[in-house]
Structures are given as structure tokens and as C-alpha cells.
Amino acid sequence: MASIRRRITGWYTAALGLTVLAFGAALYFERRQSMLRELDQRLALEGDLATSYLVQSQAVLGQVITPGAEPSLDLSVSAYFEAIRDYMVVVDTAGRPLYTSEAARQLSFSSLEPLYRLAAPPPTVRRIGTFTPDPALGPVRYLLVPLADRVVGVGAIIVASRVGNVSFGPGDLLRSMLAIAPLILLLSVGLGYWLARSTQAPLMGMIDELEAITDGRSLHRRLAVPLGGD
């Protein structure tokens, strides 16, 4: 009976463990997709605001680029963009940087240069995706907005953010699940053992009855059948 109890406990623990694993995997991938949707919405909002401001600034100023050996955005325009906390790069039609946000200026050249390359040659369609410009930086989600046909001299806007910057992302969820996994396993073992023991209780009672009947002195006794219908 002890071996049967151990087998029942083992099967119950395995079944519960697989159920929790499947639930955790589904939750992880759902959170990952939800996180990407939230990040894409934020990047789209920042890209649309920047595009709208450049178009309006061109209508007011006539041009948004300060000419020179190293052209750049007009100071009034670049000052407005300083409020953006994500990585942002504005390039001209030749792919040269006109503006780089404060967050992007903190990046190393090896991380920043691939952002410039996203807009060379100048894009013609809006594009969103994920790439890793530098292993030290990790995956980056980016939005590329073409502007060559809307703002004179401006090729595109790139807004981007590290995937790991999202609060309570999939990585945090995975670490939380791994932290509580041992507790779930212990509880499943304990519950499985209790269920195995409780379900075997009627059978153990029948075994005791049989032992009493077969001792040669209690042949008049009859085996009581539980009313459960098992």
C-alpha cells in the first residue's frame, strides 16, 4: 500500500507540476506580447508627436534645419524634443544625424551607430521591429518614420527603447515564477500525499477487516462495503 501511495503522490505531483508549467508558459508569452504592444504604442505616440511638431515647425519657420558643415535641427525644435525620454534620432536625407536625444547621447558609439544605419538609405515606409545594436545594450524595439516627402531635408525619425526597460516585463515574471516554483512543488507533494492517503482509507479499512476475518476465529463476520459506490 505504501508503494501505491507513493505512486499516486508522484502522479499527482507530476500532473500538477505540468499544469502549473503550462499555465506559467502561457502567462509568460502573453505578458511578452502585451509588453511589446504597450511599447509599440508608446513609440508610435512619440513618433507621431515628433512628426507633427516637425511639420508644424516647418510651416512656421520655413525650414527646420540649420545649414552648415554639420547641419542640425533648429534649436527651438531640438529643445522641444529634449522632453522625450526614449532614444530618438533624426537624420537628413543622406542618413546624417540632425538630432540625437539625451538618452541616445548616453549610448556608446557601437550602440548608437546602428540606429543611424536604420535610416540609410532613407526609408519610404513606416517600419517597426526589434534588433540588438550592441550585446551590452540588449534587444531594442524601434520605430522608423519616413519624412522625406513631408519635411524638407529630413529623411526620417527613429524612436527606440530597450525591451528590458518595461516595468515588470517577461524577465521579471519568469524570475517571480521560478522563485515560487519550489513552494508550489512542496505543496503539491503534500497535497498529493494527503489525497492518496484519504482515498486509500476505505481500502485500508477493508484490509483490516479481512485480516480480522481470516484469523480463523471471526469467520462469522462479514466485510462491510462502503456506501460510496466506488
Side-chain angles (χ1 to χ4, degrees):
M1 295 302 294
S3 64
I4 295 176
R5 189 179 301 132
R6 285 194 296 269
R7 287 164 61 185
I8 293 176
T9 302
W11 280 111
Y12 178 84
T13 302
L16 182 59
L18 288 174
T19 302
V20 172
L21 180 63
F23 175 76
L27 187 61
Y28 172 83
F29 287 111
E30 190 282 330
R31 178 54 192 155
R32 178 175 175 82
Q33 291 304 115
S34 176
M35 178 269 295
L36 287 178
R37 287 194 298 269
E38 293 170 7
L39 188 54
D40 289 350
Q41 290 172 359
R42 189 178 82 199
L43 295 178
L45 177 61
E46 291 174 344
D48 291 342
L49 286 174
T51 299
S52 177
Y53 192 77
L54 281 173
V55 172
Q56 293 175 11
S57 297
Q58 178 177 254
V60 173
L61 301 175
Q63 64 177 7
V64 296
I65 298 177
T66 301
E70 295 185 359
S72 61
L73 283 183
D74 185 272
L75 288 178
S76 61
V77 178
S78 58
Y80 175 81
F81 288 157
E82 286 299 300
I84 294 178
R85 297 294 89 193
D86 286 321
Y87 307 134
M88 177 176 171
V89 174
V90 181
V91 298
D92 64 11
T93 52
R96 296 173 299 182
L98 297 172
Y99 170 78
T100 304
S101 69
E102 180 182 358
R105 292 194 294 269
Q106 304 301 319
L107 297 176
S108 64
F109 177 79
S110 61
S111 297
L112 184 58
E113 198 268 338
L115 285 177
Y116 296 144
R117 289 205 307 266
L118 288 174
T124 57
V125 295
R126 191 180 179 108
R127 189 167 75 242
I128 193 165
T130 304
F131 80 126
T132 304
D134 189 341
L137 187 63
V140 170
R141 191 74 172 170
Y142 71 89
L143 172 68
L144 184 60
V145 183
L147 285 178
D149 59 344
R150 302 186 64 183
V151 182
V152 177
V154 177
I157 293 175
I158 305 161
V159 285
S161 177
R162 290 180 60 237
V163 173
N165 283 344
V166 179
S167 59
F168 200 69
D172 298 317
L173 179 61
L174 180 60
R175 285 188 289 271
S176 298
M177 289 191 296
L178 289 176
I180 64 174
L183 177 60
I184 294 176
L185 184 61
L186 287 175
L187 289 175
S188 64
V189 171
L191 184 58
Y193 184 82
W194 177 80
L195 285 174
R197 186 169 184 175
S198 62
T199 54
Q200 285 184 327
L203 185 58
M204 294 300 296
M206 294 172 69
I207 291 174
D208 292 339
E209 291 274 349
L210 285 171
E211 289 177 347
I213 291 173
T214 56
D215 64 359
R217 298 186 301 272
S218 305
L219 297 179
H220 62 283
R221 298 178 58 177
R222 294 294 179 267
L223 185 63
V225 179
L227 299 178
D230 296 334

